[in-house]
Structures are given as C-alpha cells and as structure tokens.
Amino acid sequence: MKLPTRGWVKAALHAHSKRSDGRLEPEDVVAFYRRAGFGVVALTDHNKVTKVAQPGFVPGIELEARAEGASGSYHVVVLGLDAEPPESVRRDANKLLEWSRGNGYFAFIAHPYWSMLSGEDLLRVRGYAGVEVYNHGCEVEISRGYSGPHWDYALSRGVASYGLAVDDSHNYSLDALGGWVALDIGEADGEEALKALFEGRFYASSGVAVESYEVGEGLLRVETSGAAHVKLLSGDTRGAYLSVELLERLASAEGLPVELERWEEGGARFYRVKFGGTVAEVQARGRSIVRVELRGELPARKYARLELYDGEGRGAWLNPFPAR
Ligand SMILES: [Zn+2]
Ligand SMILES: [Zn+2]
C-alpha cells in the first residue's frame, strides 16, 4: 500500500456540540474546524445524531455501552448513520458494534485509557473498526489520552483495527485541534471519508505530518515533516527505536553488535543500520528524521506499526500492517 494517492485531508472525527454537552452550535463546530483547515468534520454528540448540510460533513454519535465481564463501560463512536440506533442495541457494546457493522457504519472504541478499560476488555467486544490511539481532550484534561498499549494488546491477539486520533472537543479551547486523522481522499467528501476509513487509507496525528507512506513485501518507507524519534512496534515483540541521538551514539560506539554506516549527501545525513535480517536507512536534517526505509525481514508476522514523535511529544500513528 502506498499513501497518499489522492492527497491528505484533515478530519475531526469526534466532536460535541450543544446538542449534548459541547459549547458550540452544530454549524459553529463545522465552521470552527473549517477555519482551522479541516476538510471533514463529524459531529458525535452523546446519544444524538445531528446533521449539518455541508460538504465533508459526517453524521455520528457517541454511546455508552457495556459488555459482560468488562472492568468499565465502553464509549463507542459510530460514524455515517442517519438516525439514532434502536434502543435494543444501544447499551450492549457487542450488539451495537454488530448493528453498526451490518449497516455499513464505521464504529470505533473511544478513549480506552480514560475509560479505564484493560487490553483484555478490548477482546470482550468484537466488530469495532478502530480504536482511539490518541484522544486530545482526555490528554489535556487528565493525562489519559494515549491508548497505544490497549490497542497493541488487542492487535497482538489477532483483533485487527485501525488507530485514530481525535479531539473529543467540548469547549473548543484547549481540547481542540490537538488530535486528528489525515485521510487520503484529496477533497472534502463525507462518503469518501467513510470509504477511506474502512480501507485504512489514513493516519492519525497530533502534530507530526506524514508526507508519504509505503509498505509492501520486504519494504517499508515513511517520509515525514520531521520526527525526533520513530518507533516500530511489533506483535512479535521485536520492535525498533530510531533517533538521531541514538544513531550518533551508535556511530561513535565500539564493539556493538550492529553494523552502522553514516554519510552526508546534499545537505542531509544518512545512516544505514542492520539489525537481524532488516536494514534500516534513515535520512536526517539536524536532529530530525525526515525519512526511514526498512528493507528485508519486517517484524510483522502478527502485525507491526509505526509511531513518529517530534521534540514536543506530538505524534503520528500509522495503521498496522499487514492489513487484514
Ligand atoms: Zn467519551
Ligand atoms: Zn466524546
């Protein structure tokens, strides 16, 4: 898979309006994100579907539901629906997810960490298409915005899903413009947005831009606006951590069990490092990594995924591969 093919469009996929506990009217939520450069906006009020007649608008809802044995309740966000789900499925997470899937709606688990769900709880429910790997509102309010380990737990046990970053905005101050999804759809269109979500043609971000991403047989290549460090996480436990600082230390160290080459070309610095059957080539400018290419054995028997972070802790989260 190579991305983007059409061009990135920013999407806000979890936002509240005055129809539930948000501070702005629905139209003003859409206008707020439009002004900030977003092409796609979903309204996901608690228990209520609201539509705004605007290109790039996606109707949605957030519901609280339960599953037997779970340590807490699930907040489930459903996108693409025309009206509220029937009462009979609203409070049962598995029924709600099955109903969503059956009707072609995109459902994801909101803020597992904020909900104090465990990784195991993500195995008690089936049929969700995504998990919020980052929820900005939960992060700035109580520092429980990052749910990477929950997601990894489910992925490593064979429950495939995509990773989303969202605002979950209510106040449209600190809790907004800190988490979004970049969709490969070229132009603002709600239908295309849903299609891209189902196909995984997107990445999640809180500030790091991914310019291009390619993954195929024995090859992974990512180009970015600049990352202080890049993490490869794998279901086979073999991951990798790359930063300019670490590569510089490796370049000057002796007697390490890695082979490292370092060279400069056209104002950029390059590193080539071998670990196991994998060769990583990294291109850097200053302290920032701008390109990573992995060739050879990719540690992705179960799955692998990439996280990129800048010096301020803002990230980008790519969807796991192989895509299933
Ligand atoms: Zn919630
Ligand atoms: Zn919410």
Side-chain angles (χ1 to χ4, degrees), residues 9 18-19 45 52 66 75 79 97 133 145 148 157 163 168 174 196-197 209 218 282 287 294:
V9 172
K18 275 191 176 167
R19 295 289 175 273
D45 277 309
V52 177
R66 300 192 170 270
H75 285 204
L79 300 180
L97 290 166
V133 61
R157 278 154 185 80
D168 199 355
L174 281 182
L197 285 169
V282 176
R287 311 299 290 174
L294 299 178

Side-chain angles (χ1 to χ4, degrees), residues 1-4 8 203 208-216 219-227 229-232 242 281-284 289-295 305-309 316-319 321:
M1 181 161 69
K2 194 174 176 183
L3 297 175
W8 299 120
Y203 72 91
V208 172
V210 170
E211 275 150 18
S212 72
Y213 176 52
E214 187 176 359
V215 60
L219 168 78
L220 184 157
R221 186 185 296 131
V222 63
E223 290 177 307
T224 166
S225 57
H229 61 275
V230 175
K231 295 165 73 167
L232 175 73
L242 295 165
E281 196 173 290
V282 176
Q283 186 180 339
I289 293 173
V290 293
R291 186 174 184 273
V292 175
E293 186 174 304
L294 299 178
R295 283 188 182 275
R305 63 181 187 89
L306 283 176
E307 296 188 340
L308 296 80
Y309 290 95
W317 299 275
L318 297 171
N319 279 316
F321 60 91

Side-chain angles (χ1 to χ4, degrees), residues 14 46 62 75 110-111 114 168:
H14 185 164
H46 300 285
E62 180 172 16
H75 285 204
H111 49 66
W114 182 92
D168 199 355

